């Protein structure tokens, strides 16, 4: 199983980025997917998740109204559209796949089975 994130980079405060996570080696449409982020020296934190069908989503309070998670099962890809970025959004962003609860939108790290290597997002103020 491989999850490969892309789309990170340097952006000014108030700007936008779209992250992508391409999955291979798994039946993508049977997994819930999530995005997490981590700052050096801090614990990895939940950002957003989406059910296998894409019908339900869940967001951390800190990103609600600014970030949008979506998926394209035909392309085996999950996305994270990030708008109105601020310096507190600077982190390494990881996507993850959950096979156990595909109809849920889990926020717990322990529920995810596979992880990508991460992509750096840096927001300059």
């Amino acid at each position: 199983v491989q999850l490969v994130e892309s789309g990170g980079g340097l952006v000014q405060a108030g700007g936008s980025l779209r992250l992508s996570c391409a999955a291979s080696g798994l039946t993508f449409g049977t997994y819930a997917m999530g995005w997490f982020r981590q700052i050096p020296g801090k614990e990895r934190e939940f950002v957003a998740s989406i059910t296998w069908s894409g019908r339900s989503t869940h967001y951390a309070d800190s990103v609600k109204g600014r970030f949008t998670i979506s998926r394209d099962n035909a392309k085996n890809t999950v996305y994270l559209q990030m708008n109105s970025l601020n310096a507190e959004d600077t982190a390494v962003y990881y996507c993850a796949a959950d096979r156990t609860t595909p109809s849920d939108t889990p926020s717990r790290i322990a529920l995810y089975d596979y992880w990508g290597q991460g992509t750096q997002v840096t927001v300059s103020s």
Side-chain angles (χ1 to χ4, degrees):
V1 174
Q2 251 194 329
L3 301 177
V4 180
E5 301 95 339
S6 61
L10 175 64
V11 63
Q12 286 190 332
S16 299
L17 281 176
R18 188 195 197 201
L19 305 184
S20 299
C21 172
S24 59
L26 75 170
T27 307
F28 183 74
T30 64
Y31 284 70
M33 299 296 296
W35 284 97
F36 292 76
R37 64 188 183 187
Q38 188 169 22
I39 301 169
K42 300 189 75 174
E43 291 187 355
R44 192 168 296 188
E45 66 173 12
F46 169 74
V47 174
S49 57
I50 188 168
T51 56
W52 69 271
S53 65
R55 293 195 187 101
S56 294
T57 57
H58 178 48
Y59 297 92
D61 288 343
S62 59
V63 307
K64 203 171 292 183
R66 301 188 297 122
F67 290 12
T68 302
I69 187 172
S70 61
R71 66 189 296 160
D72 185 338
N73 287 348
K75 294 183 178 179
N76 286 5
T77 301
V78 61
Y79 305 96
L80 186 68
Q81 177 67 43
M82 305 186 295
N83 299 329
S84 302
L85 286 161
N86 57 60
E88 288 69 41
D89 297 316
T90 295
V92 177
Y93 284 71
Y94 299 89
C95 72
D98 164 29
R99 65 183 172 186
T100 306
T101 56
S103 297
D104 287 342
T105 51
S107 59
R108 287 174 52 205
I109 291 173
L111 291 177
Y112 288 85
D113 303 285
Y114 303 108
W115 293 82
Q117 292 300 305
T119 186
Q120 176 71 47
V121 171
T122 302
V123 184
S124 62
S125 55

